[in-house]
Amino acid sequence: MAHSSTSTILRLPAVLARTGLARATIYAHISQGSFPAPIKLGPRASGWVEAEVDGWVAARIAAR
């Protein structure tokens, strides 16, 4: 899946704020394959593609 050059990377605090979920819940969903996995930004840093997180939120809204 190609992303535009304007894709934004969200760090964990922004993902938590955007989803309303706790850190442990995010990682539980990732391990179950039901939430986008983060990308490595460096040895001790990772982030999420904003469009993927927004898509996950939109899918949850649509599924209610």
Side-chain angles (χ1 to χ4, degrees), residues 8-17 39 41 44-49:
T8 301
I9 302 299
L10 301 175
R11 296 299 300 270
L12 184 59
V15 174
L16 299 178
I39 57 172
L41 302 174
R44 295 182 44 143
S46 60
W48 285 259
V49 177

Side-chain angles (χ1 to χ4, degrees), residues 11-33:
R11 296 299 300 270
L12 184 59
V15 174
L16 299 178
R18 206 167 275 217
T19 62
L21 299 174
R23 178 185 184 276
T25 305
I26 293 284
Y27 283 105
H29 280 296
I30 291 168
S31 69
Q32 296 165 2

